[in-house]
Amino acid sequence: MNDLKKDIVSEQSIQTLAMDFLTVAQKAAIASYPWIGKGNKIEADGAGTEAMRNQMNLINMSGRIVIGEGEMDEAPMLYIGEELGTKKGPEVDIAVDPVEGTTMMSKGQNDSLTVIAVSTKGSLLHAPDMYMHKIAVGPKAKGSINIDASLTENMISVAKALGKDIKDLTVMIQDRPRHDHLIKQVFDAGAQVKLFPDNDVNGAIATAIDEIDGDILVGMGGAPEGVIAATALKCMGGDFQGKLAPQEPEEVERCIKMGITDPEKALTLDDIVKSEDCFFVGTGITDGLLLKGIQKTNTNLTKSHSFVTVSGNPELYQFVEAYHS
């Protein structure tokens, strides 16, 4: 088979897998549901991971975890390098978080969900588990951000791209002391801050959805979550930039070991997600900014609410409400 035919088959196969992975996310979220508010995030994560692994092994693919919940010796978590699927389908990179927002979920709080990003083999940044500086916007502001510039400069640029006055911008920032300087820049510019307690994947995606009030996401959060959010935004036509923020020499060494020779390099969306063939799936566990949580119905069914976006048509994304026996 020539290279062109291989590319066509790969693209069709990647698109087809999205619905299979929707089932994976739904099952993981449902498995985690009994642990809401029980104060045991390890058990919640373990339940979601087991359901996720079992379902992914049924999919016709040769999948490899590039961002997971642990290293090879930390079973039962989905470890980096773990191979999944029937080995009969396309070769794909998989980035997962069975329970994004585990601490909040264990306390019965909002904004926890199951998230999965999938792309062609070798195309996702192997981001180590450390901090990453991030900035994200939706499609209308694509090309207007620069992670090396100040937030004030970025707000001016994004406001121009959106045709807004800077005072009408809403900037989403995780509520942490490390972000106080960013919050001050928003206030000084006269723009609006929208603080959230955890889970910046939700916030990044929100910038690409008109019905949700959020023009920019900025701040420092987990690098693995950055790759997952970047995949969603690539599918939606948005923009994302990141810069790893190692906090100690050991983290620099880990970056180099994972193939990142310049840990503090500014990373564009195409650096983080190199392929145009990718998709993102998320299912709510507790109610949040983007999705409703798992619910039990009066007829003893379980109701899930999910979000799916696939590359190739940035204006088309789906919210999926499903009932499970």
Side-chain angles (χ1 to χ4, degrees):
M1 186 182 292
N2 63 39
D3 289 341
L4 177 59
K5 287 183 179 178
K6 284 182 180 178
D7 289 343
I8 293 171
V9 171
S10 174
E11 181 176 355
Q12 290 173 338
S13 300
I14 291 292
Q15 307 290 326
T16 302
L17 292 179
M19 292 300 103
D20 292 325
F21 274 89
L22 171 60
T23 302
V24 173
Q26 290 168 337
K27 286 186 176 292
I30 291 168
S32 303
Y33 169 79
W35 296 98
I36 294 173
K38 299 295 179 64
N40 194 330
K41 62 182 184 179
I42 294 175
E43 291 293 340
D45 229 8
T49 298
E50 182 180 5
M52 185 173 274
R53 175 184 281 124
N54 291 341
Q55 192 63 33
M56 279 197 285
N57 274 327
L58 301 177
I59 298 174
N60 286 327
M61 66 172 180
S62 293
R64 183 172 181 268
I65 300 292
V66 297
I67 290 175
E69 286 290 277
E71 303 300 329
M72 189 172 288
D73 59 352
E74 293 178 349
M77 299 308 179
L78 285 157
Y79 59 82
I80 296 170
E82 181 171 357
E83 296 182 354
L84 297 158
T86 65
K87 310 296 189 293
K88 295 178 182 178
E91 295 180 317
V92 295
D93 282 356
I94 305 169
V96 301
D97 194 341
V99 184
E100 166 69 349
T102 46
T103 299
M104 298 172 66
M105 181 261 210
S106 69
K107 296 178 180 179
Q109 297 175 326
N110 287 348
D111 269 325
S112 65
L113 70 164
T114 295
V115 291
I116 309 170
V118 178
S119 188
T120 52
K121 182 182 178 181
S123 61
L124 291 183
L125 177 73
H126 291 206
D129 190 8
M130 64 178 60
Y131 280 123
M132 172 188 271
H133 297 287
K134 311 173 189 181
I135 184 166
V137 291
K140 294 176 184 176
K142 183 176 176 62
S144 67
I145 55 174
N146 179 3
I147 199 162
D148 286 326
S150 69
L151 175 55
T152 301
E153 291 172 295
N154 276 294
M155 284 191 291
I156 293 170
S157 179
V158 171
K160 182 178 179 181
L162 296 178
K164 289 185 174 184
D165 189 290
I166 194 169
K167 292 180 173 57
D168 296 323
L169 284 183
T170 299
V171 184
M172 306 187 70
I173 303 175
Q174 189 177 10
D175 191 6
R176 295 288 187 273
R178 64 177 179 268
H179 293 148
D180 286 349
H181 69 293
L182 297 174
I183 295 169
K184 184 178 185 302
Q185 287 183 65
V186 178
F187 288 157
D188 288 347
Q192 178 181 345
V193 166
K194 189 170 188 175
L195 296 178
F196 58 92
D198 207 347
N199 190 351
D200 58 12
V201 174
N202 268 339
I205 294 172
T207 64
I209 298 177
D210 289 340
E211 291 78 11
I212 300 177
D213 185 21
D215 298 307
I216 313 174
L217 173 121
V218 67
M220 188 167 69
E225 291 83 359
V227 175
I228 293 170
T231 305
L233 283 171
K234 187 155 197 176
C235 294
M236 301 176 77
D239 207 353
F240 184 101
Q241 292 185 11
K243 183 183 285 189
L244 293 171
Q247 304 296 297
E248 50 194 31
E250 290 79 6
E251 291 190 342
V252 174
E253 292 173 11
R254 186 148 188 254
C255 287
I256 295 170
K257 183 180 178 182
M258 295 178 72
I260 302 168
T261 54
D262 183 3
E264 296 187 18
K265 174 189 174 184
L267 300 166
T268 67
L269 182 58
D270 289 337
D271 291 325
I272 298 169
V273 189
K274 296 182 176 67
S275 175
E276 296 299 322
D277 302 326
C278 53
F279 62 84
F280 167 89
V281 178
T283 298
I285 301 173
T286 57
D287 289 346
L289 177 69
L290 185 67
L291 293 167
K292 300 171 187 174
I294 298 295
Q295 300 173 23
K296 292 290 186 181
T297 70
N298 293 332
T299 55
N300 207 30
L301 295 175
T302 301
K303 182 179 177 182
S304 66
H305 191 218
S306 304
F307 178 82
V308 182
T309 179
V310 179
S311 60
N313 191 344
E315 296 180 356
L316 178 64
Y317 51 82
Q318 299 180 60
F319 286 94
V320 180
E321 197 171 82
Y323 292 81
H324 314 263
S325 59

